[in-house]
Amino acid sequence: MRRPDDVVEIFLRPGELYFGDRHTRLRTVLGSCVAVVFWHPLKLLGGMCHYVLPTRSRPAPAPLDGRYGDEAFCLMLQEIRAAHTLPAEYRVRMFGGGNMFPGMSCNRAPIGPQNVAAARALMRQHCLNCIGAHVEGIGHRHLLFDVWSGRVTLEHTGPQDGVTACR
C-alpha cells in the first residue's frame, strides 16, 4: 500500500505506547526492552507498546504504567476496544529482549529473556496469535512500523554482526 501524504511519525521511548490509524508510523529502539506490535489489516489500525520490565507489585490505587509488560498490554487492549475492534482481529508481532551486556556476569538472569517470556505469556492469556518475532540474542534493534501497510522494518545490530534485516 502507498504511503499516505499526511503521515504522523511517533517515536516511542521506553514505557510508552501509541495506537493510531493508517496515517501513523511508529519508531523505537530496543535493547532488553520488548515492543509488541498490533495491526488490524482490514481497518488499518495499529499500535505498539515498548515496555521495560515484565511486571511490578502495583498498589491497588496506582494507575497503569506502560513501563511494565502486563500493564502495557492492558493499556493497549483498552485502546483496541476503544476503537470498537477485538484483540483477536489483530496481527501481533514482538521484538527485542536482547542481552545488552553479554560479558557481564551477575546473580540474576538477564532481563531481556524475562521480558520475552512475559510477552509470550500475555499473548497466550489474551488468546493472541503471534505471527512473527525477532527476540533475544545480543545487541539492539531499530524498529519501524507503518500502520497503513502493516510493514515492520527491523535493523538488528549486534557486537560483531553488523546489520541484519527482518521484514
Side-chain angles (χ1 to χ4, degrees):
M1 178 177 209
R2 188 175 150 282
R3 176 187 166 135
D5 293 331
D6 52 349
V7 172
V8 175
E9 293 208 20
I10 306 291
F11 181 81
L12 294 181
R13 294 182 301 253
E16 295 182 336
L17 62 101
Y18 190 88
F19 186 86
D21 64 12
R22 65 182 182 88
H23 298 277
T24 308
R25 170 179 275 168
L26 300 171
R27 296 176 179 272
T28 198
V29 177
L30 301 163
S32 60
C33 295
V34 164
V36 181
V37 175
F38 297 78
W39 184 59
H40 196 296
L42 299 177
K43 298 192 180 217
L44 303 183
L45 298 170
M48 180 191 304
C49 60
H50 176 164
Y51 66 87
V52 181
L53 296 170
T55 192
R56 69 171 165 158
S57 299
R58 189 168 67 93
L64 294 174
D65 187 330
R67 292 177 294 177
Y68 305 97
D70 53 350
E71 297 178 45
F73 256 76
C74 287
L75 291 166
M76 186 60 71
L77 294 174
Q78 287 175 5
E79 293 289 334
I80 286 170
R81 291 185 179 107
H84 306 290
T85 57
L86 299 172
E89 297 171 343
Y90 286 75
R91 294 182 182 171
V92 181
R93 290 172 272 190
M94 73 171 153
F95 304 90
N99 184 352
M100 297 307 296
F101 308 103
M104 295 182 68
S105 63
C106 62
N107 295 333
R108 290 191 281 181
I111 194 66
Q114 293 176 49
N115 280 333
V116 171
R120 288 187 172 129
L122 287 161
M123 283 187 255
R124 279 191 306 275
Q125 177 185 341
H126 295 285
C127 300
L128 299 171
N129 183 29
C130 182
I131 64 164
H134 192 278
V135 295
E136 298 186 10
I138 298 171
H140 65 278
R141 293 164 172 90
H142 294 263
L143 187 64
L144 175 71
F145 170 42
D146 297 329
V147 176
W148 63 87
S149 67
R151 180 177 179 215
V152 175
T153 304
L154 174 77
E155 290 183 357
H156 178 225
T157 306
Q160 303 167 10
D161 60 49
V163 176
T164 60
C166 172
R167 297 180 205 274

